[in-house]
Amino acid sequence: MSGRPRDPGVDDAILRATMELVEEKGYRAASIEGIAARAGVSKQTVYRRYRSKGEVILDALAAYAAGNLPAPDTASPRRDLAQLLTATFAAQQGIRGALNRALVAESIGDDDFARTVWERLILPRREAVRTILTRARAPRELGDAEADFLVDLVYGPMWYRLLFDPPSLTAAYAERLAEAVTEMAAGGS
Amino acid sequence: MSGRPRDPGVDDAILRATMELVEEKGYRAASIEGIAARAGVSKQTVYRRYRSKGEVILDALAAYAAGNLPAPDTASPRRDLAQLLTATFAAQQGIRGALNRALVAESIGDDDFARTVWERLILPRREAVRTILTRARAPRELGDAEADFLVDLVYGPMWYRLLFDPPSLTAAYAERLAEAVTEMAAGGS
Amino acid sequence: MSGRPRDPGVDDAILRATMELVEEKGYRAASIEGIAARAGVSKQTVYRRYRSKGEVILDALAAYAAGNLPAPDTASPRRDLAQLLTATFAAQQGIRGALNRALVAESIGDDDFARTVWERLILPRREAVRTILTRARAPRELGDAEADFLVDLVYGPMWYRLLFDPPSLTAAYAERLAEAVTEMAAGGS
Amino acid sequence: MSGRPRDPGVDDAILRATMELVEEKGYRAASIEGIAARAGVSKQTVYRRYRSKGEVILDALAAYAAGNLPAPDTASPRRDLAQLLTATFAAQQGIRGALNRALVAESIGDDDFARTVWERLILPRREAVRTILTRARAPRELGDAEADFLVDLVYGPMWYRLLFDPPSLTAAYAERLAEAVTEMAAGGS
DNA sequence: ATATAATCGAGACGGTACGTCCCGTCTTGCA
DNA sequence: TGCAAGACGGGACGTACCGTCTCGATTATAT
């Protein structure tokens, strides 16, 4: 049965090659063929692990952002959100941003993959924001529907700017967004 | 100097074929090869007009949405915005949504094209919203920076949902977004 | 290192398709695209083996004529040559003739390829004739320069007629040519 | 009726462009598109005069070699032939040789055109040689069939060498060929 | 003078083939 | 069984020419 075990060094090489290519040459250069070549790995070895380029990228991003989901919890929800967004926005300037954009590209025209991205990547970060906003509304309750809407107000602008104008995702922008949304959360009916 | 003039029927055929393919088979199936074939046109004829698939799609969208930029102007900015967004969101369920998603896919990894999309497609719609929000703030002034931010709050969620969950762009969502943002505009310092 | 070995069936299919196309539809119809299609093979698979249409044709001819280089050796050099030429001329009426003409067409304007043809195709047949003519001159010696010249007198007319008037390459023509040249070889100073 | 007359300067430009391209860049670069471009002429203007690239080249050659058919007539047929061949071979080193090779390429796979070349280009030169050989046989008669064969012995080697090894067409080669064939003509039964 | 008619440059047009890239699958031999 | 190597059918890329066509601007002859 069991045969030769998978070489963990190969996993690393694939993910590293993916990140490098997406960052250096952009999303278009990141073909599976190119990733395998740069990783010094055969194509088959990539396909044994992933079914599509999207999954490689998703995994590369996961590997990169593992555990990096900060959940600040001070007395000030506004400051918590600002801190979360500042960190998140900053990350979008580098590899993470490039990988995120690549994921969107892969999602378009592939509904299954889009769903996977939503569940594995988007939802967890929405939860983090929802937790903060729930604190902002306390002691009153924050309903699910309203929470979803407020979270959209946070992440909508981020992805929008990430896709069309990444440099605008500054700390100042994070501050402003955090203030606007926490205020709206606090004041809601 | 003059040469044989371009056949306008060919332009139409290309754009129609593009819209059909993007809608029916999705973004991935919409190759230039396929567009030319369906339009009953040679590839060269497409390349004579457009340098990339992205440009074809952008033009198809422009043709589709020509002049369709409603600028409601009633006594209520909130209702104006709600109306604008309701119409816009509704449009995203059909061809327009498919084309918009396709444009995003093409923009990723092609900064030049991304800039073109921003200027020809995104900016005009931002202006329409900015105009409404300026009325909402009246008689006080709405600064450029703040206006830009508020417009992000409007369009950010739209693109975010368009990419990851198009069906959620309902009339109710439009209403809620219009209310939240006009209120914020009105109440701003 | 090793990789999947080339499928010999594919080689055959390519060569067979090439011969069929050149014979049936003529040299002009024999595109690499067409060869690949008829062989049921991808274009890449052809390009992996050959750099140009010329090389495919040369190989097809080599495969066809493999080992078919008769070297008759009776008491009569004249009869030897006549026999060789009769067989050679007869072959030019079929696929071999079509392939030979195609090779010339490919050679024109491609000096490298012309040289390859000369070495792989032309020279071996010249040697066969030279051997016979050396016997015709015996016991005196046949010098290199003179031999080359006499061989030209044999093959020059053949190619000339092959290109401009193939049906004239009859057995009678072969006989006459063999007689004239062996006589000249025998009588030379 | 009559309309604007053809511009003779255009004819010249086309022929000159053809000769230049065939000589400089080789036969492959001599597309009708390229010829028209270099001549500063529209494609239609070329097609109004010629039905194919072959015809352009044939005409270019005709223009180049107009009246250049020497018919030396001294007391010595051998010297006549040597002189004719020396001049002919010399010409093959330059544009004429390139054009001749191009004509062969065009003839292959186009029987109609091959016939035209034979009649307009090949036959006249055969006649010139036949005339000389008839003198060499005098006072006996030189039959048609035998004459054709002897002419093949002259031109066969020339085209053979022109196609595969043009530099070998030297004056010495011309002399040797003239001697061999006139002797054969004189001595024939 | 003013049609009428052909020529010219320019360049669009439907095609066909080029040679390249990448897809996802497969088949080797070695570890 | 993993892995590097690389063959394989397939599909699209963007380019070059093919031969035809349609334009506006010339330039002749024939009213």
Side-chain angles (χ1 to χ4, degrees):
Chain A
M1 270 221 194
S2 60
R4 175 174 173 176
R6 290 200 179 166
D7 181 346
V10 161
D11 296 73
D12 290 0
I14 292 174
L15 297 185
R16 192 174 314 112
T18 303
M19 294 189 287
E20 286 174 16
L21 277 176
V22 170
E23 198 191 16
E24 288 171 28
K25 314 265 180 83
Y27 164 65
R28 311 201 105 87
S31 59
I32 292 234
E33 196 110 4
I35 289 170
R38 174 173 294 223
V41 142
S42 77
K43 275 198 294 175
Q44 186 66 309
T45 299
V46 178
Y47 280 110
R48 202 170 290 129
R49 291 164 166 74
Y50 305 102
R51 264 173 315 179
S52 71
K53 185 169 65 169
E55 297 198 351
V56 188
I57 293 169
L58 188 52
D59 215 39
L61 190 55
Y64 200 80
N68 278 6
L69 218 170
D73 186 0
T74 70
S76 161
R78 163 142 98 90
R79 216 175 309 133
D80 288 353
L81 186 54
Q83 196 177 320
L84 174 64
L85 291 184
T86 301
T88 303
F89 286 12
Q92 307 307 324
Q93 305 306 320
I95 304 188
R96 293 260 306 260
L99 290 171
N100 273 330
R101 281 192 295 273
L103 281 179
V104 171
E106 289 295 305
S107 294
I108 292 166
D110 183 344
D111 293 348
D112 278 0
F113 183 65
R115 204 169 307 118
T116 306
V117 170
W118 181 260
E119 281 160 13
R120 287 192 42 193
L121 186 78
I122 310 286
L123 269 189
R125 308 193 191 243
R126 288 180 68 87
E127 277 313 307
V129 169
R130 176 198 295 261
T131 303
I132 294 173
L133 293 179
T134 301
R135 282 205 297 279
R137 168 66 61 86
R140 287 167 300 153
E141 187 115 357
L142 180 63
D144 267 12
E146 200 185 355
D148 274 345
F149 176 69
L150 290 172
V151 174
D152 281 12
L153 283 188
V154 172
Y155 279 121
M158 182 188 92
W159 283 94
Y160 179 60
R161 286 286 172 179
L162 173 61
L163 292 173
F164 293 115
D165 184 27
S168 63
L169 289 175
T170 61
Y173 194 92
E175 289 285 350
R176 196 201 298 256
L177 191 53
E179 180 180 354
V181 179
T182 45
E183 196 168 304
M184 197 176 284
S189 51
Chain B
M1 334 254 142
S2 58
R4 175 173 172 177
R6 295 206 176 157
D7 182 346
V10 162
D11 295 74
D12 291 359
I14 292 174
L15 297 184
R16 193 173 312 115
T18 304
M19 295 188 285
E20 285 174 16
L21 277 176
V22 170
E23 197 190 16
E24 289 171 26
K25 314 256 181 95
Y27 163 67
R28 308 198 106 89
S31 60
I32 291 217
E33 195 116 2
I35 289 170
R38 175 173 296 221
V41 140
S42 78
K43 269 201 292 179
Q44 189 59 37
T45 297
V46 178
Y47 281 111
R48 206 171 283 127
R49 290 165 166 73
Y50 306 102
R51 262 172 316 176
S52 70
K53 186 167 67 168
E55 297 197 353
V56 190
I57 293 170
L58 184 52
D59 218 40
L61 189 55
Y64 202 83
N68 280 5
L69 218 169
D73 185 359
T74 69
S76 160
R78 164 144 98 86
R79 215 175 310 136
D80 288 352
L81 186 55
Q83 197 177 319
L84 175 63
L85 291 184
T86 302
T88 303
F89 286 13
Q92 306 306 324
Q93 305 306 320
I95 304 189
R96 295 252 316 251
L99 290 171
N100 273 329
R101 280 193 296 273
L103 281 178
V104 172
E106 289 295 306
S107 293
I108 292 166
D110 183 343
D111 293 349
D112 277 359
F113 183 64
R115 203 169 310 119
T116 306
V117 170
W118 180 261
E119 281 160 16
R120 286 191 43 193
L121 187 77
I122 310 285
L123 269 189
R125 333 243 146 204
R126 288 180 69 86
E127 276 315 305
V129 169
R130 177 198 294 261
T131 302
I132 294 173
L133 294 179
T134 301
R135 281 204 298 277
R137 169 66 59 87
R140 286 168 301 154
E141 187 117 356
L142 179 64
D144 267 13
E146 199 184 355
D148 274 345
F149 175 68
L150 290 172
V151 173
D152 281 13
L153 284 187
V154 171
Y155 280 120
M158 182 188 92
W159 284 94
Y160 180 59
R161 286 287 171 178
L162 174 61
L163 292 173
F164 293 116
D165 184 26
S168 63
L169 289 176
T170 60
Y173 195 92
E175 290 284 350
R176 196 201 299 257
L177 191 54
E179 179 180 355
V181 179
T182 44
E183 196 168 306
M184 199 176 282
S189 53
Chain C
M1 334 253 141
S2 58
R4 174 174 173 176
R6 295 208 175 155
D7 181 346
V10 162
D11 295 73
D12 291 359
I14 292 174
L15 297 184
R16 193 173 314 114
T18 303
M19 294 189 286
E20 286 174 16
L21 277 177
V22 170
E23 198 191 14
E24 289 171 26
K25 313 258 181 93
Y27 163 66
R28 308 199 106 87
S31 60
I32 292 218
E33 195 114 3
I35 289 170
R38 174 171 296 221
V41 141
S42 78
K43 271 199 292 178
Q44 189 59 39
T45 297
V46 178
Y47 281 111
R48 204 172 284 127
R49 289 166 167 73
Y50 305 103
R51 265 172 315 178
S52 69
K53 186 166 69 169
E55 296 196 353
V56 190
I57 293 170
L58 184 52
D59 217 40
L61 189 56
Y64 202 84
N68 280 4
L69 219 169
D73 186 0
T74 70
S76 160
R78 163 142 99 88
R79 215 175 310 135
D80 288 352
L81 186 55
Q83 196 176 321
L84 174 63
L85 291 183
T86 301
T88 304
F89 286 12
Q92 306 308 324
Q93 304 307 319
I95 305 189
R96 295 253 315 252
L99 290 171
N100 273 330
R101 280 193 296 272
L103 281 178
V104 172
E106 289 294 307
S107 294
I108 292 166
D110 183 342
D111 293 348
D112 278 0
F113 183 66
R115 203 169 312 117
T116 306
V117 170
W118 180 262
E119 281 160 15
R120 287 193 43 194
L121 186 78
I122 310 285
L123 269 189
R125 331 242 147 208
R126 287 180 69 87
E127 275 315 305
V129 169
R130 175 198 297 262
T131 304
I132 294 172
L133 293 180
T134 301
R135 282 204 298 277
R137 169 66 58 89
R140 286 167 302 153
E141 187 114 358
L142 179 63
D144 267 12
E146 198 182 358
D148 274 343
F149 175 69
L150 290 172
V151 173
D152 281 12
L153 284 187
V154 172
Y155 280 120
M158 182 187 92
W159 285 93
Y160 180 61
R161 286 287 172 179
L162 173 61
L163 293 173
F164 293 115
D165 184 27
S168 64
L169 289 176
T170 61
Y173 195 94
E175 289 286 351
R176 195 201 300 257
L177 192 53
E179 179 178 356
V181 180
T182 45
E183 196 167 308
M184 198 176 284
S189 53
Chain D
M1 268 202 209
S2 57
R4 175 173 174 175
R6 293 201 176 163
D7 181 345
V10 161
D11 296 72
D12 289 0
I14 292 174
L15 297 184
R16 193 174 313 114
T18 303
M19 293 188 287
E20 285 174 16
L21 277 177
V22 169
E23 198 191 15
E24 289 171 26
K25 313 265 179 84
Y27 165 66
R28 309 200 106 85
S31 58
I32 293 232
E33 197 110 4
I35 288 169
R38 172 171 295 223
V41 141
S42 77
K43 274 199 294 175
Q44 186 67 287
T45 298
V46 178
Y47 280 111
R48 203 170 290 136
R49 290 164 167 74
Y50 305 101
R51 263 171 317 179
S52 71
K53 185 167 66 169
E55 296 197 352
V56 189
I57 293 170
L58 188 50
D59 214 38
L61 190 56
Y64 200 80
N68 278 5
L69 217 170
D73 185 1
T74 71
S76 160
R78 163 143 99 87
R79 216 175 310 135
D80 288 352
L81 186 54
Q83 195 176 322
L84 174 63
L85 292 183
T86 303
T88 304
F89 286 12
Q92 306 307 324
Q93 305 306 319
I95 305 189
R96 294 257 311 255
L99 290 171
N100 273 331
R101 281 192 295 273
L103 281 179
V104 172
E106 288 296 304
S107 294
I108 293 165
D110 183 344
D111 294 348
D112 278 0
F113 183 66
R115 204 168 310 117
T116 306
V117 171
W118 180 260
E119 282 159 14
R120 287 193 40 195
L121 187 78
I122 310 286
L123 270 189
R125 318 217 171 228
R126 288 180 69 87
E127 276 315 306
V129 169
R130 175 198 296 261
T131 303
I132 294 173
L133 293 180
T134 302
R135 282 203 299 276
R137 168 67 59 91
R140 286 168 302 153
E141 187 117 357
L142 179 62
D144 266 12
E146 199 183 358
D148 274 343
F149 175 69
L150 290 173
V151 174
D152 281 13
L153 284 188
V154 172
Y155 279 121
M158 182 187 91
W159 285 94
Y160 180 60
R161 286 286 171 180
L162 174 60
L163 292 173
F164 292 115
D165 184 26
S168 63
L169 289 176
T170 61
Y173 195 93
E175 289 284 352
R176 195 201 298 257
L177 192 54
E179 179 179 356
V181 179
T182 45
E183 194 167 307
M184 198 176 284
S189 52

